[in-house]
Amino acid sequence: MTTPDHLPSVIRHWIGGELVDATDGRTFEVAEPVSDTVYARAARGSATDVDRAVAAARAAFPAWSRLSNRARATVLYRVADAVEARHDRLAAFESYDSGLPITQAQGQASRAAENFRYFADVIVALGEEAFRQGEEQFSYVVRSPVGVAGLITPWNTPFMLESWKLAPALASGCTLVLKPAEWTPLSASLWPEIFAEAGVPSGAVNIVHGIGDEAGQALVDHPDVPLISFTGSTDTGRRIIRSSAEHLKTTSMELGGKSPVVVFADADVEAALDSVVFGVFSLNGERCTAGSRVLVERRLYDEFTRRLAERAAKVRVGHPSDPATEVGALVHPEHYARVLDYVETGRKEARLAAGGTRPDHLPEGNYLQPTVFADVPRDARIFQEEIFGPVVAVAPFDDETEAVELANATRYGLAAYVWTSDLKRGHRIAHAVESGMVWINSHNVRDLRTPFGGVKASGVGREGGAHSIDFYTEAKIVHVALGDVRTPRFGAAS
């Protein structure tokens, strides 16, 4: 394992433009996933630290929100430049901290910079609606930033997903408090120098590290934080929504997934196979949109399952810093144990076609050979529950009706993928599947302009493009009379 240069031994909060310790001095350990060795300590935020951060964000809000869209966009462009200038260091930090293969971490760094450029463009180009009611009245919409945004981000691809929330919040004129995931806080330690270099005003962005039940809960409960954007597990999302109800907060919840890949016999089998292997095993399988349930038309089922198992066995599992690695180490011993528990459950529920064990050449660390279970019944836990690792469940179907039924047979509804040469059928399936996003004959290629989010237990709300600006702003309609007002004259009779 290659240790990155300039690795910090202490990760501190960033509040009001200053690096600070937790008010009570507490810290928590941060370990890397290859040897589970503690390499740093991070400030352990409390309600007091969150209160300091919210106060700093509130103080910065008037000036930041009054800037023109163009002025804020200029700052965001500088943030993107500063992110790109740290591309190699950022990718090394991300890979070291999360176990993500270095080549995939490099892609996340590039996407983070693009997020800031994209939302800078959006806020400059975004217009406001106007309505004319004949000659009598004219109405127009005014957008204003909501205020202090609370952002709570997950441990998988942390820096990119932080940028996915930071960029639209700042573009909209909000100030914010970010609570990064406690398992992977390393790359977030780069944000303070990035924002300082880009000229983001002190207090516009504040970062409080800590445990979710402490710092995260304090942010959700704070009365001066009117909206919460959260990406993470469905169970945590439910708790956040319940807590947010006390202050009627606006929430955006991007939660879990158990996404189906529906493969018909007439599909381009090579392309579908490539997509399935990449979609469930890239990012170590730790991705909410992973196609973790593969449904294959019965006359193609045996061949496809066999070839999928053969490909899984050849996926390169190795040290995250090795450019040849395709699957690295899972993020944390606790998560690794959870995934292994699902593998053991799967052995009892279905047929193990590939993987299921630690690779022989990696006797230590959170490693798992990509795992394929075949003949998985619909009521199996590995079919129903999100595993969030390099594990895929495969099942057959006989016709289009059964394919849709199986695709919808979970509580989740984030993403879905359909492979068929019959595009009419592809559209029918896409419309019938209960999910927020569907790809036909494609893997997970996203346009930043499009809405991102799920249905059922996969989330509440949409972000992406103008949808993100909608979330971070309030829309006010102003009505103006153009002519004489002819209001019915109640009480005017003599």
Side-chain angles (χ1 to χ4, degrees):
M1 182 66 174
T2 301
T3 302
D5 295 332
H6 310 295
L7 199 66
S9 58
V10 178
I11 299 172
R12 306 170 79 191
H13 302 321
W14 173 252
I15 298 176
E18 295 182 353
L19 290 169
V20 297
D21 296 322
T23 304
D24 57 13
R26 292 189 305 161
T27 61
F28 63 93
E29 294 180 341
V30 184
E32 49 81 12
V34 168
S35 64
D36 295 323
T37 298
V38 174
Y39 69 86
R41 302 192 71 86
R44 183 165 179 164
S46 65
T48 302
D49 298 305
V50 169
D51 193 57
R52 292 166 60 199
V54 172
R58 290 189 70 194
F61 177 73
W64 180 250
S65 62
R66 282 197 299 264
L67 288 178
S68 69
N69 291 347
R70 173 66 70 183
R72 289 198 299 272
T74 299
V75 176
L76 265 62
Y77 293 138
R78 293 200 296 260
V79 172
D81 292 341
V83 168
E84 284 192 334
R86 291 161 176 79
H87 180 278
D88 292 341
R89 184 181 173 200
L90 198 165
F93 274 23
E94 197 82 312
S95 177
Y96 182 81
D97 199 29
S98 69
L100 194 67
I102 186 64
T103 53
Q104 295 169 44
Q106 289 167 346
Q108 299 302 312
S110 299
R111 187 58 173 253
E114 177 59 21
N115 280 334
F116 279 92
R117 289 205 175 91
Y118 170 74
F119 281 106
D121 291 341
V122 167
I123 201 64
V124 170
L126 192 66
E128 293 175 336
E129 296 175 292
F131 308 90
R132 181 169 175 170
Q133 296 90 49
E135 301 296 325
E136 297 178 356
Q137 187 165 276
F138 178 79
S139 306
Y140 62 94
V141 176
V142 176
R143 289 183 178 273
S144 57
V146 173
V148 178
L151 312 180
I152 304 175
T153 51
W155 48 257
N156 61 317
T157 62
F159 192 87
M160 191 280 290
L161 288 175
E162 288 157 6
S163 74
W164 172 242
K165 298 180 187 298
L166 288 163
L170 289 171
S172 300
C174 291
T175 54
L176 58 96
V177 179
L178 167 69
K179 208 298 277 184
E182 56 262 35
W183 283 355
T184 53
L186 180 58
S187 58
S189 70
L190 295 177
W191 284 121
E193 64 183 62
I194 289 170
F195 289 131
E197 181 178 306
V200 176
S202 296
V205 176
N206 303 274
I207 301 173
V208 177
H209 295 280
I211 309 304
D213 289 344
E214 299 172 354
Q217 189 64 51
L219 185 58
V220 171
D221 291 340
H222 202 290
D224 294 327
V225 178
L227 79 173
I228 299 289
S229 177
F230 170 76
T231 299
S233 74
T234 297
D235 288 342
T236 302
R238 286 196 181 97
R239 291 198 298 271
I240 290 174
I241 290 174
R242 283 195 295 266
S243 297
S244 296
E246 174 67 23
H247 297 289
L248 297 178
K249 299 190 181 202
T250 301
T251 60
S252 176
M253 300 283 117
E254 195 272 281
L255 307 176
K258 193 69 176 174
S259 302
V261 184
V262 182
V263 183
F264 286 92
D266 66 348
D268 181 332
V269 176
E270 292 297 327
L273 189 63
D274 286 344
S275 179
V276 167
V277 173
F278 180 81
V280 74
F281 298 138
S282 62
L283 304 183
N284 298 345
E286 298 166 330
R287 59 190 304 166
C288 56
T289 55
S292 56
R293 291 184 300 136
V294 179
L295 313 175
V296 185
E297 191 169 6
R298 194 174 297 276
R299 57 196 171 103
L300 178 63
Y301 178 77
D302 289 341
E303 175 194 348
F304 195 90
T305 303
R306 174 183 58 79
R307 294 184 63 187
L308 174 58
E310 290 171 353
R311 286 282 296 273
K314 295 177 182 178
V315 171
R316 295 181 178 180
V317 183
H319 287 271
S321 58
D322 184 349
T325 291
E326 294 170 321
V327 170
L330 300 191
V331 67
H332 190 275
E334 183 179 318
H335 180 63
Y336 182 54
R338 179 179 179 272
V339 173
L340 291 182
D341 182 66
Y342 273 111
V343 171
E344 290 309 305
T345 298
R347 291 176 186 272
K348 303 170 187 175
E349 296 180 320
R351 174 170 62 89
L352 180 65
T357 60
R358 172 190 294 279
D360 292 337
H361 66 290
L362 295 166
E364 297 180 347
N366 306 327
Y367 292 105
L368 175 65
Q369 186 67 36
T371 299
V372 178
F373 285 104
D375 309 335
V376 182
R378 73 171 65 197
D379 59 349
R381 286 184 61 200
I382 61 170
F383 189 91
Q384 292 292 333
E385 300 175 19
E386 184 177 40
I387 299 173
F388 221 65
V391 181
V392 62
V394 191
F397 66 86
D398 289 307
D399 54 30
E400 186 176 318
T401 298
E402 187 181 16
V404 171
E405 183 185 5
L406 284 172
N408 292 338
T410 74
R411 63 178 181 146
Y412 294 105
L414 185 58
Y417 308 85
V418 183
W419 287 88
T420 177
S421 61
D422 183 345
L423 285 183
K424 290 183 179 179
R425 175 165 59 190
H427 286 288
R428 286 196 303 271
I429 300 293
H431 294 180
V433 169
E434 297 166 352
S435 67
M437 300 172 287
V438 183
W439 282 264
I440 301 175
N441 296 334
S442 172
H443 65 279
N444 193 328
V445 177
R446 280 201 61 241
D447 186 318
L448 290 177
R449 295 171 294 182
T450 60
F452 187 99
V455 300
K456 301 194 292 189
S458 286
V460 176
R462 296 291 183 271
E463 295 189 46
H467 298 274
S468 290
I469 306 303
D470 287 340
F471 176 68
Y472 291 105
T473 59
E474 295 282 10
K476 179 188 296 184
I477 184 73
V478 179
H479 302 285
V480 182
L482 298 179
D484 294 336
V485 178
R486 295 181 178 85
T487 307
R489 302 189 68 206
F490 278 30
S494 58

